[in-house]
Amino acid sequence: MAEAGSFADQVKQQADIVRVVGEYVRLKKSGQNFTGLCPFHAEKSPSFAVHPTKQIYHCFGCGVGGDVFKFVMEMEKCTFPEAIRIVAEKCGIAVPRQKERSPEERKENQQRAVLVEMHHEAQTFFVKQVEGTLEGKAARAYLEDRGLDKDAIARFGIGYAPSGGDALLRHLKPKCNEKLLIESGLVSRDQNGGRLFDRFRRRITFPISNESGKIVAFGARALGDDMPKYLNSPETPIYSKSNVLYHMDRAKEGIRRQDFAILVEGYMDAIAVARAGISNVVASCGTSLAEPQIKLLGRFTRRVIVNYDPDAAGQIATERSLSLLLEQDFEVRVLALPPIGDRKADPDLFIREKGAEEYLKLLKEAPPYVDYLIARARRMDLTSGEGKRQAVNFLLPYVQKIPNRILRSEWATRIAQQLRLDEPVLRAALGKAAAERRSEVKIQPELVGRAAKPAERRLIRMLMEAEGFRQELAKHLQNARLYHGLETEKIFAALVIASLSGQPLKATEVGAVLEERDRRLLFEILFEEANEPTWEEAASCIEALEHRQAERELADVQRSIEANPPGQELRGLLEKKQELMRRLAAAR
Ligand SMILES: [Zn+2]
């Protein structure tokens, strides 16, 4: 991944993987390596190792492994360029400014920077309004009524857009040109194409940040009875509704640490939950979740508790979100809050009325999504055949979306039991539905590296490390076809090609061209304690391979002989057999 001479390559040369990993994992020196508890799977005794000279890590438990960038990408759930930057910063290496490729791109980047700056300005403006103006006082009273005190207002950057109609416009206009003002979505032009005015008027504003914490949009709630009640920024060059989750910038750390996220509908809900001390909450800011939002979430966790509003729209949104989450292989639970009195409770109302502790309790007990769906289906009339058919038709699409076949089957049994359905009939319907699915169960990577004979392991290691005779060794192995048919054939092939090129070998580069299970085996071999490679040892390993090659050939010849070939051919085979047996005897 890190091209020679590139910035990534420079960082990799200078970065110390032991130091970087050591910021996340407690490492102890053990022989040539450092070991610790694997951060990627739960374990009690350390099977996670870092190699200081090869600058790689490998877990003998779960099989993960790679270089310093891969490690940071996995830990921080970030992209490769972000990982380079993070490692560079950790190691005190100055990050060069990104090169822009074309004048258009430069212009777009500049534009985006201006738009972000404008949102920053607008945010400062809105906050000032809520703090210090008469109109802002009414907004504060409203917020206080909703249980949001001064600290909460400050913490979530809640502001106020005044009613005047052009207050923000007048504030921004001296600094920005008209075209960009309109593009920012903060300002609109009236229908006749004439006058400009503020998009948000007499509204409480909630800044919406992207994942890295930059304000890119606003959500705004009407203070009076103005319609619509909620108004958001339009799509702009810096904001796309389906790409952003409200509160993600502050939630991601908690989500990663706790390995699950709470998904709510609106920003008031997210704020209420976050204020209850539960930081791993995000809001979809709209009734239903979009696929890019799920991808974003998926970088941090695969486990979600959906806690949408209990009204009809919320229920539909819940069900739609479930489908999408299941398709992306998420583990989903659903929290449906009980009504308070005769009022349906969203998270905001529930926490205000019942307190954080009660909410946390229900959160912990939130049932798997299938139970939620079964409960929904049970409300249908299950006494009639038609009703049962309806219930199955309601459930089937969800079950069908579960990528894992075993899980799917378990749920079928549960549904049959809970709804008192005839299980074979249900299974038949399910089977048919499953057959229509395109994507099938993902193949689990093998957890354990395959066994390879000691001679193979040593030769692999020597090809990696024996600077002095690597090329010669590679040539010999290739000419004698010594690794053909071995389990390690692909690893040898990759190493031989790399060795013959005469360039120094890097474990991660060789690993990158291998299949995952071969990459694991290679890394495992690299972590074995070993002596300096010598040609004598190489020669004896080669002999062992020659021996095995002869054995394989002998077995082939024997099979051919037993197939009763015509006389001439048989004589040839018998001669060959004699020769192979002599060779094998001599080697003993
Ligand atoms: Zn592990």
Side-chain angles (χ1 to χ4, degrees):
M1 285 204 278
E3 260 173 69
S6 65
F7 179 64
D9 188 47
Q10 281 174 41
V11 173
K12 201 171 161 172
Q13 301 281 339
Q14 291 176 51
D16 176 10
I17 193 171
V18 177
R19 226 187 77 194
V20 174
V21 173
E23 287 187 22
Y24 302 85
V25 180
R26 252 180 72 185
L27 292 173
K28 262 171 69 181
K29 186 125 176 59
S30 154
Q32 306 171 334
N33 308 324
F34 289 81
T35 57
L37 294 174
C38 178
F40 302 109
H41 83 277
E43 62 174 8
K44 292 212 172 73
S45 55
S47 50
F48 179 83
V50 180
H51 202 299
T53 48
K54 293 195 181 67
Q55 291 286 305
I56 54 174
Y57 70 96
H58 179 72
C59 174
F60 289 85
C62 67
V64 297
D67 62 7
V68 66
F69 298 135
K70 175 89 184 297
F71 180 83
V72 170
M73 281 164 75
E74 295 286 323
M75 282 310 284
E76 298 287 345
K77 300 289 174 201
C78 65
T79 61
F80 181 59
E82 283 165 344
I84 298 170
R85 194 181 45 75
I86 292 170
V87 173
E89 277 167 9
K90 282 189 196 303
C91 303
I93 303 162
V95 183
R97 287 174 56 107
Q98 266 198 338
K99 263 187 265 156
E100 287 133 348
R101 281 181 200 98
S102 66
E104 296 88 66
E105 221 172 312
R106 191 179 318 141
K107 204 175 146 213
E108 272 170 29
N109 283 346
Q110 273 170 357
Q111 240 183 47
R112 271 200 288 272
V114 174
L115 291 178
V116 168
E117 183 52 37
M118 278 165 73
H119 278 75
H120 181 75
E121 277 285 331
Q123 169 65 5
T124 316
F125 177 80
F126 292 147
V127 165
K128 258 200 195 124
Q129 302 299 309
V130 83
E131 275 170 0
T133 65
L134 216 57
E135 255 189 82
K137 219 172 149 185
R140 274 204 310 277
Y142 167 84
L143 289 167
E144 260 160 44
D145 192 46
R146 300 281 303 241
L148 292 171
D149 57 15
K150 216 173 153 202
D151 282 348
I153 294 172
R155 176 172 159 198
F156 296 97
I158 301 170
Y160 178 70
S163 55
D166 62 353
L168 177 66
L169 175 67
R170 271 184 287 124
H171 179 75
L172 290 177
K173 212 168 175 190
K175 297 169 199 164
C176 331
N177 74 43
E178 210 164 90
K179 193 173 155 283
L180 278 175
L181 273 171
I182 293 171
E183 217 155 280
S184 75
L186 296 167
V187 169
S188 316
R189 196 185 284 285
D190 74 13
Q191 299 219 314
N192 315 322
R195 205 170 61 88
L196 295 177
F197 59 92
D198 291 350
R199 178 182 180 83
F200 304 115
R201 300 177 305 277
R202 207 155 90 94
R203 282 173 183 274
I204 292 168
T205 58
F206 300 83
I208 298 173
S209 300
N210 64 14
E211 186 203 329
S212 49
K214 292 234 160 61
I215 298 171
V216 291
F218 289 96
R221 190 203 185 282
L223 192 56
D225 295 325
D226 294 357
M227 292 304 279
K229 193 163 145 195
Y230 290 99
L231 180 67
N232 281 8
S233 290
E235 302 273 309
T236 69
I238 55 170
Y239 174 63
S240 162
K241 196 173 74 196
S242 55
N243 279 318
V244 174
L245 286 164
Y246 178 74
H247 199 249
M248 190 64 183
D249 56 321
R250 298 174 185 205
K252 58 183 180 185
E253 188 45 46
I255 294 175
R256 192 174 66 74
R257 205 175 46 239
Q258 302 185 55
D259 194 16
F260 80 94
I262 301 144
L263 179 68
V264 296
E265 228 174 275
Y267 21 79
M268 286 299 272
D269 296 320
I271 289 173
V273 175
R275 286 190 69 215
I278 306 162
S279 68
N280 49 329
V281 60
V282 293
S284 51
C285 269
T287 40
S288 92
L289 205 55
E291 209 177 296
Q293 289 175 315
I294 296 177
K295 292 251 159 75
L296 170 62
L297 201 55
R299 282 174 38 211
F300 300 91
T301 188
R302 289 270 157 200
R303 293 162 66 207
V304 175
I305 300 179
V306 180
N307 182 196
Y308 275 0
D309 293 357
D311 57 10
Q315 233 159 44
I316 294 168
T318 301
E319 281 150 28
R320 220 187 90 73
S321 305
L322 278 181
S323 292
L324 285 168
L325 287 163
L326 293 178
E327 261 170 32
Q328 303 286 330
D329 223 356
F330 272 75
E331 189 189 310
V332 189
R333 294 196 283 152
V334 178
L335 173 56
L337 295 167
I340 294 172
D342 54 1
R343 281 188 299 170
K344 291 179 169 170
D346 58 28
D348 178 30
L349 177 70
F350 188 89
I351 292 171
R352 262 187 292 140
E353 296 286 326
K354 297 275 176 181
E357 221 158 284
E358 184 64 19
Y359 181 79
L360 203 60
K361 186 172 154 269
L362 291 179
L363 195 65
K364 280 188 186 137
E365 293 165 357
Y369 74 96
V370 172
D371 289 339
Y372 164 83
L373 291 170
I374 290 175
R376 291 259 298 136
R378 283 177 86 156
R379 271 178 245 150
M380 296 169 191
D381 169 30
L382 294 174
T383 53
S384 70
E386 174 58 22
K388 283 192 181 185
R389 206 180 56 80
Q390 243 182 33
V392 171
N393 282 343
F394 168 72
L395 290 172
L396 220 51
Y398 298 103
V399 181
Q400 201 185 329
K401 289 213 164 76
I402 307 170
N404 186 308
R405 194 166 46 84
I406 298 162
L407 261 181
R408 223 162 44 223
S409 165
E410 277 173 18
W411 287 126
T413 308
R414 270 185 77 177
I415 291 169
Q417 282 167 356
Q418 295 266 325
L419 299 185
R420 297 180 198 289
L421 299 171
D422 184 32
E423 198 176 326
V425 174
L426 180 69
R427 281 189 184 280
L430 217 81
K432 191 170 158 276
E436 284 157 13
R437 269 177 63 93
R438 282 289 162 98
S439 57
E440 245 315 306
V441 188
K442 270 194 256 159
I443 298 161
Q444 285 281 326
E446 283 173 53
L447 278 180
V448 199
R450 287 155 310 140
K453 298 268 161 37
E456 294 169 51
R457 298 176 95 96
R458 278 306 290 149
L459 284 170
I460 286 171
R461 182 75 179 254
M462 283 189 246
L463 281 172
M464 282 297 302
E465 287 172 9
E467 307 287 342
F469 58 83
R470 160 191 303 142
Q471 243 173 319
E472 205 184 335
L473 179 60
K475 248 182 243 161
H476 185 86
L477 289 168
Q478 194 183 41
N479 291 342
R481 299 170 55 87
L482 277 178
Y483 48 89
H484 289 257
L486 297 181
E487 268 193 312
T488 47
E489 178 171 348
K490 287 190 177 139
I491 302 176
F492 271 110
L495 286 171
V496 164
I497 291 169
S499 301
L500 292 176
S501 78
Q503 299 292 322
L505 287 197
K506 287 195 191 116
T508 43
E509 280 168 18
V510 178
V513 303
L514 294 173
E515 279 173 36
E516 177 57 17
R517 51 187 213 152
D518 285 330
R519 203 267 314 146
R520 283 187 189 184
L521 180 55
L522 173 66
F523 273 36
E524 214 179 281
I525 292 169
L526 294 179
F527 273 95
E528 282 165 2
E529 294 284 328
N531 301 324
E532 282 287 295
T534 61
W535 180 254
E536 285 68 38
E537 195 194 355
S540 83
C541 291
I542 287 172
E543 239 171 65
L545 287 194
E546 280 170 346
H547 192 85
R548 276 168 59 195
Q549 191 185 39
E551 278 174 343
R552 274 201 309 275
E553 269 179 60
L554 183 61
D556 284 347
V557 169
Q558 190 59 37
R559 258 195 302 281
S560 304
I561 291 171
E562 280 160 15
N564 267 328
Q568 176 116 33
E569 203 178 311
L570 180 64
R571 265 195 299 282
L573 285 167
L574 287 170
E575 269 168 36
K576 179 96 198 193
K577 182 180 171 181
Q578 288 301 321
E579 194 230 305
L580 285 167
M581 285 178 64
R582 263 198 306 278
R583 251 166 63 189
L584 285 167
R588 266 190 202 104

